[in-house]
Structure formats: structure tokens, C-alpha cells
Amino acid sequence: AVHAVAREVAEQLLAVAGEPAGAADTDAEEPVKQPVILVAEDDPASRQLLREILGADGYQVIEATNGREALERIAEMQPDLVLLDIQMPNLDGFAVLRQLRQDPRFANLRVVAVTACAMRGDHEKALAAGFDAYITKPIDTRELGAQIVRFLG
């Protein structure tokens, strides 16, 4: 939406300067590829919240509802970042992460644990298992955008 507004403003400025409408597009570079984020979450409400926030921030969001589906989507789409619920059916987040870290194609993929488990030691356990970061539920929607930027860093 921001890009469309910027393009419209550029076209209006060019029109005022005597340039034909649409001239702003002729010298435009290829659009920047937005990062792809996989949201692997079995809870529909949590998945929807993440999809809406990330989509509004301009990210391409793909989804998985269980661990096996997450592995399939990662192999298919090769996302830039994975937000992985720890407690999911079929394969939990730790099992998915183990498989990813054993596959040379995904050894360096950024994977963030997303969980309602916020007991003492859970954060350290997730990092020790190989997660790159840890987000607790309920998700702080005010902080999520900055967190995603850091994760993609």
C-alpha cells in the first residue's frame, strides 16, 4: 500500500513537471523481493494474527499447521525466516528444528521458537537446541515488527 501511494505521488509530480503519466515506472528498478516468512503454528487464531501483522508489514507469509507440513513448506518455498511453534502435532518444533539443522540446505535458516511455554529455562533450552531466537505467546504485537527486522538482520 505504501509503494502504491509513493508511485502515485511520483506520477503526480512528473505530471506537474510535464512528464507523461506512467513515466515513473520506466526507469524503475526491479522491485525488491520481500522476505518470505513461514508461520508454522497449529492454533488458527495465532496463525491469523501473525499472518495479518506480517502481511501488513509487507512480508510474504506462508503457513503450516503442523511439523510435517512445516518441513514440506520449507523445502518447497525456502523461506527467509521460520516462526516455529514448539508444541505442534505430528512433529514438535524441536523435532522440526533437528531435521532442519541436519540438512545442509537449511543449516543456516533462521528459525525462531514461538511458544506459550515461558517457564524458567525454556528460553535457554530453545537456544541450546539451535533456535536463533525465542518469542513467547501471547505475542507482543507492538514489538513484533522490530523483532522480525532483527531476526532477518
Side-chain angles (χ1 to χ4, degrees):
V2 172
H3 296 290
V5 170
R7 181 171 305 195
E8 185 177 318
V9 168
E11 287 181 359
Q12 288 173 356
L13 289 173
L14 288 171
V16 168
E19 299 277 341
D25 293 337
T26 57
D27 295 328
E29 294 179 22
E30 287 289 317
V32 176
K33 178 186 169 281
Q34 290 298 343
V36 176
I37 301 176
L38 171 68
V39 173
E41 168 67 65
D42 62 319
D43 177 61
S46 295
R47 211 171 45 249
Q48 179 181 359
L49 175 67
L50 287 166
R51 178 180 60 242
E52 289 178 4
I53 292 171
L54 297 171
D57 285 345
Y59 297 108
Q60 180 182 344
V61 180
I62 54 178
E63 300 175 34
T65 59
N66 61 60
R68 289 194 198 291
E69 190 178 345
L71 290 171
E72 291 169 6
R73 295 282 183 276
I74 291 166
E76 266 173 33
M77 304 294 293
Q78 301 193 2
D80 300 294
L81 176 69
V82 176
L83 301 181
L84 184 62
D85 185 16
I86 289 181
Q87 297 176 331
M88 286 190 299
N90 296 330
L91 290 174
D92 69 16
F94 287 105
V96 170
L97 182 69
R98 275 192 301 278
Q99 289 190 34
L100 290 173
R101 295 300 184 229
Q102 291 171 359
D103 186 328
R105 297 174 300 166
F106 306 116
N108 296 318
L109 176 62
R110 292 188 175 120
V111 182
V112 176
V114 180
T115 184
C117 299
M119 302 296 288
R120 177 175 290 154
D122 287 340
H123 184 230
E124 292 77 12
K125 180 180 173 185
L127 295 178
F131 283 97
D132 295 293
Y134 184 93
I135 296 176
T136 56
K137 296 180 199 172
I139 293 168
D140 184 343
T141 57
R142 295 165 299 174
E143 292 292 320
L144 185 62
Q147 289 173 317
I148 296 298
V149 169
R150 278 196 311 273
F151 300 153
L152 288 167

